Amino acid sequence: MLKNTSLGRFRAIALLEGLSFVLLLFIAMPLKYLAGMPLGVKVVGWAHGMLFVLYLLFLVEVAVVHRWPLVRVLGAFIASLVPFGTFVLDARLRREEQPATEPAA
């Protein structure tokens, strides 16, 4: 579950940004170029642009708060440019958040 922390907010925006990117690439753009329906690109593109800006702002916040190394920040930035990249990033962040459990003896 997403928590009300800098990392939780970043993960939430990352998921929304990734979803908007997938919708833009795989639904709105085909509708525009294959069916002549450009409105989807206009609406979803606008939403994706706003979410991308928020993603970058929250990335800066989480990088400062959690003292992420530059390589990790660049990896998170690149994840936003690749379809499904933010979903992979979220899975990694979720795994890191889970407390380490010791195997039962």
Side-chain angles (χ1 to χ4, degrees):
M1 177 155 213
L2 299 177
K3 300 174 185 168
N4 193 19
T5 62
S6 60
L7 188 58
R9 288 187 297 271
F10 174 68
R11 286 182 54 215
I13 289 296
L15 289 173
L16 291 172
E17 192 275 339
L19 179 62
S20 71
F21 191 33
V22 168
L23 289 174
L24 181 64
L25 289 178
F26 297 108
I27 295 176
M29 290 184 74
L31 283 174
K32 177 179 180 176
Y33 293 108
L34 300 176
M37 300 169 64
L39 183 60
V41 169
K42 183 176 183 176
V43 172
V44 177
W46 181 86
H48 172 67
M50 297 304 292
L51 288 167
F52 182 72
V53 170
L54 285 174
Y55 178 89
L56 294 178
L57 291 173
F58 281 96
L59 174 59
V60 169
E61 177 191 24
V62 81
V64 169
V65 169
H66 293 276
R67 298 177 184 214
W68 280 5
L70 183 59
V71 171
R72 186 167 199 178
V73 174
L74 288 175
F77 174 74
I78 291 169
S80 71
L81 303 177
V82 177
F84 305 102
T86 58
F87 304 132
V88 173
L89 175 64
D90 181 65
R92 288 184 181 175
L93 293 174
R94 188 174 351 109
R95 238 186 344 259
E96 290 174 11
E97 276 186 327
Q98 293 176 351
T101 57
E102 296 180 19

